[in-house]
Amino acid sequence: MTGPGQDARVPGAGDAVTLAVVATPELPTRGLLAVAQAAEASGLAELWLWEDVYRQSAVAQAGAVLSATERLRVGLGVLPVPLRHAVLAAMDVATLAEMFPGRLVPGIGHGVQSWMAEIGARVASPLTLLREHASVLRPLLRGEPVTVAGRYVALDGARLVWPPAVPPPLYVGAHGPRTLRLAGEVGDGVILQLGVSPDDTRAQLHTVAEGRAARDHGGWSGACVYVGVDAALRAAGPGRTAAHLRRFVDAGATTVAVVPVEPDGTTPDMSDAAGTAAWLGTEVRPLLAGAPGEPTAPSREDQP
């Protein structure tokens, strides 16, 4: 446990990196398994999924991907807490974590507030809801009985019948300073949104560390940062892409989750998601420093 005055270094700084690819909800549902299989075949460690209201269920997609692959880990980044009752979220996560041990990385977050309003789920204090949701989800996944009377979450002796033998780490999606501190306090890891720069990453992870100093439980899994890679960067060669991604690792990311994007840098481009996954795993991953046993020198085509 990290307390006041103890080490609150930037999570992940100097650690090895996990390279992942993201399949956003812009990807047609039937194309998901091809992306997952390309990611696994190329040696990528993880595939991350988003959950947008009105599109695919991230939980259903995760189950399909985990069933269709053997080693690939699946990140849920993020499940919007206004959309799910905390017990239902615990049931979903527990089921997948028990069936596919060690291969699920669940993440929760506020969700897009305009969508939450459209479905009648928006609350007056999203931060309070996120805190309450995370605070009951963790003990539920440990198989503990939970009784709480919060502003939004109320449970009376709730307890999972089939908790996972090994509860997965719980990540919290965050952007603003209060949510970043909360992620450090109640989560096992943090997810930073697409569009942050390496400098933003460093600053935001320092804010997360402030929350970690106030936490009342031990353990920290790290920071997943979504990083956009467009066609121009990809065309510049795997060495250039690896160097770009390494800047986020140097800023504290332990997982770099690549989002194929349009030239604007933030609009997802899923037109060749499977091809991008295969390229990342076969061409970029061996060049990204930090992975044990993998070379760090640039490829021949990227050398001056």
Side-chain angles (χ1 to χ4, degrees), residues 251-274:
T254 53
T255 296
V256 177
V258 171
V259 184
V261 293
E262 300 286 354
D264 65 9
T266 57
T267 301
D269 176 11
M270 294 288 111
S271 60
D272 186 24

Side-chain angles (χ1 to χ4, degrees), residues 21-101:
V21 69
V22 182
T24 74
E26 286 78 10
L27 178 72
T29 304
R30 292 186 180 181
L32 177 63
L33 293 186
V35 177
Q37 290 161 352
E40 180 165 80
S42 72
L44 288 179
E46 294 179 356
L47 168 70
W48 281 74
L49 303 170
W50 295 357
E51 185 167 71
D52 285 356
V53 173
Y54 310 124
R55 298 203 184 193
Q56 304 97 327
S57 159
V59 172
Q61 288 185 103
V65 168
L66 290 166
S67 295
T69 56
E70 296 181 359
R71 299 174 303 280
L72 192 69
R73 293 191 298 271
V74 176
L76 304 177
V78 296
L79 301 178
V81 296
L83 191 61
R84 281 183 177 79
H85 191 282
V87 171
L88 177 60
M91 292 163 58
D92 286 338
V93 171
T95 300
L96 292 175
E98 182 66 6
M99 293 181 71
F100 305 97

Side-chain angles (χ1 to χ4, degrees), residues 239-302:
R240 190 71 59 82
T241 297
H244 176 65
L245 300 181
R246 186 67 206 180
R247 295 172 62 210
F248 291 87
V249 179
D250 293 341
T254 53
T255 296
V256 177
V258 171
V259 184
V261 293
E262 300 286 354
D264 65 9
T266 57
T267 301
D269 176 11
M270 294 288 111
S271 60
D272 186 24
T276 300
W279 179 77
L280 286 169
T282 58
E283 301 293 332
V284 178
R285 181 180 58 87
L287 303 176
L288 186 59
E294 295 180 344
T296 60
S299 64
R300 184 180 302 273
E301 68 183 272
D302 297 308

